[in-house]
Amino acid sequence: MHYNECSCMTPTTGAAPSTFFSAVQFVMAAQCLIRTKDWPEDAELQDSEEFDFIIVGAGTAGSILANRLTEIEDWKVLLVEAGGDPPIESDIPGLTDSLYGSKFDWKYTTVNNGLTSQANKGGNIKWPRGKMLGGSSSINVMAHVKGHPKDFQSWYDEGNEEWHPDIVNQYYHKAESLQDHSLKKNSAIQNEYGQHGPLLINTYNVTNTTFLEEMLTAFDEIGMKPVEDLNTVHNMGSGRFRVTATDGKRISSATAYLNPARNRKNLKVAKNSYVTKILLDGKTATGIEMDRNGHKYKLKAKLEVIVSAGTINTPQLLMLSGIGPKKHLEENNIPTVLDSPMVGQNLHDHTNIPTLVFADEPEKMDETTKDMESLRYLYDRKGYLAYHSYQDLTAFYSADPEATYPDFQALVLFHYKNDGSVEEFASGYVKSVEDSVLKLGKNRAMFQVRISVLHPYSRGNISLNSNDPYDYPLIYYNNFSDDRDLDATVTAIKMFLKIVDTKFLKSIGAITGRLELPACDGYELNSDAYLRCIAVNMASTIYHPVSTAKMGRDISNSVVSSRLKVHGIDHLRVIDASVMPSITSGNINAPTVMIAERAADLIKEDYNKLA
Ligand SMILES: Cc1cc2nc3c(=O)[nH]c(=O)nc-3n(C[C@H](O)[C@H](O)[C@H](O)COP(=O)(O)OP(=O)(O)OC[C@H]3O[C@@H](n4cnc5c(N)ncnc54)[C@H](O)[C@@H]3O)c2cc1C
């Protein structure tokens, strides 16, 4: 073809190229507009510099504490974070998955115990954790689920007097600001949420709501009644998630709390800085030892060191500093400062079993639609990038239909027909399971329903691998060590599988289908024995580990007091998900936010600074 034959290349008056060039410029600029640019500066530090408070970890809890404590102008605060600024992928809900396994993830895995999760490649479970400002709130799925008042009543009844459900509710309200205008019209929902807090709560900008509505009708048919707002009815029924995202963008603890405080003169933030030890003078915390680009700093805390390093790193740091079970410290050649037997113990989580349903719909988005949706996201923050692939749906239910406290949670994740994500999912399993998923999924859409028992009995622990702070701790999950959890899991799956017989699911030809695992070969499909076998072998996590520095009355049964002070050590607190006495009914980021908000006021109260 000659140049002249291509009408597109015929010289023009310039209007067309200039119009398209403007469009390209708009697209380039729109991408920059997404990016959060308000991260705090990386502070310069002097060795032996003194602060009033040093907070270890800028995650969900740590970022909140940094903001609330620097509200007191004469308190000088240092926030230390092992990671750096979150990348643009963290801002865009639809790209969250690309962070897993990246440098923004600690990439922890559980220890292979040879018994559970044997269908997973490596026989272990991946436990992602955010390593950046915002911590796991910068990598999570953004569901904002506040648990059930009974969860907090049980904390309170165990002697944790600062955590009565009414007080807890007050601190949820302090944190929240409900954005969804249609929900605000309902006074019960409006009253359930705070209206003026830093954490913006909304509903994902999902565009294909017809499909969601059909699914909710199916939930209704199996007794999981759809409700407008699950938090308002304390998690009984089914519905769309409230999320910490608004205008199609993530709201992490860092964007909600840390960035607005970044210019305060009494706050310093040290990024890419790893705390290796809490410094102690006898049984008093005096500061931290920190590694920044190979340079070791010793920094002093006049009032307190606050450990907010999360459920895995918090007990690791306590033990590296000589606070933990004496025998375990001795095995790792760490001099015992305080024999605190519960450090690292009581680990539990919401184990999840991916229950697979295959069906004719929904169809895969074609590439042109996908491209148009990406452009649309740049234009108005809608389209598939505006929500996480967990879409929106969840259901809370119980074995007893009359129950008012949920036993189980199911989260629904869709994989479009012939979508590459099915292969990616299947590749996490041993060959026989991988092949059966691919066979069942050929020319079908896949629904991955992640089913969890909300209140497990099994307990695991976090242990040290050695006294080297750079050696990853060992995660002994022990998730089915109590048989009641496996029985409950089978009940939960069976109850959920009734969905395959609902009108909508039947209309799209839904089937379950056998997953090929030699261990489960002899069992009839979907029999109790088969589901038990699948549950044991396919067990994974929904990423909610808690309780490895639990609060309680004394050192024999807990690590911290109701005011989150470490038993037996002065000037040291733990404030993060590890202090929960037991896990809440649902996703745990919102409870961790509430804990940090409450703890900030407990600290202010202790120093007579509460307004
Ligand atoms: C993939 C994923 C999806 C999830 N989805 C949801 C969801 O949709 N909804 C929900 O409610 N919950 C969800 N969760 C759980 C929730 O996000 C976490 O429970 C919560 O963020 C925990 O907060 P935290 O403050 O305890 O710890 P983190 O937020 O993990 O913060 C700990 C911080 O400490 C830093 N740190 C650790 N050790 C050191 C050290 N030695 N020195 C310096 N810094 C250190 C870490 O880098 C991190 O930034 C999810 C979690 C994950 C991982």
Side-chain angles (χ1 to χ4, degrees), residues 64 84 142 152 202 218 281 287 357 400 411 471 500 557 589:
I64 295 173
M142 291 156 268
F152 307 109
N202 215 326
D281 180 4
V357 174
D400 171 3
L411 292 113
D471 223 353
V500 178
N557 63 20
N589 192 59

Side-chain angles (χ1 to χ4, degrees), residues 56-62 80-83 96 100 106 108 127-145 241 273-276 308-311 313-314 316-317 542-546 575-578 580 586-592:
V56 182
T60 295
V80 187
E81 169 53 44
T96 302
Y100 306 151
W106 284 86
Y108 287 122
W127 270 21
R129 301 270 92 201
K131 186 180 188 181
M132 58 191 132
L133 297 181
S136 299
S137 75
S138 295
I139 203 176
N140 71 12
V141 181
M142 291 156 268
H144 183 75
V145 179
F241 275 120
S273 302
Y274 182 59
V275 177
T276 49
S308 299
T311 297
N313 294 51
T314 284
Q316 179 200 24
L317 184 61
I542 206 75
Y543 320 123
H544 298 162
V546 293
I575 303 172
D576 58 24
S578 71
M580 293 190 201
N587 315 56
I588 63 160
N589 192 59
T592 310

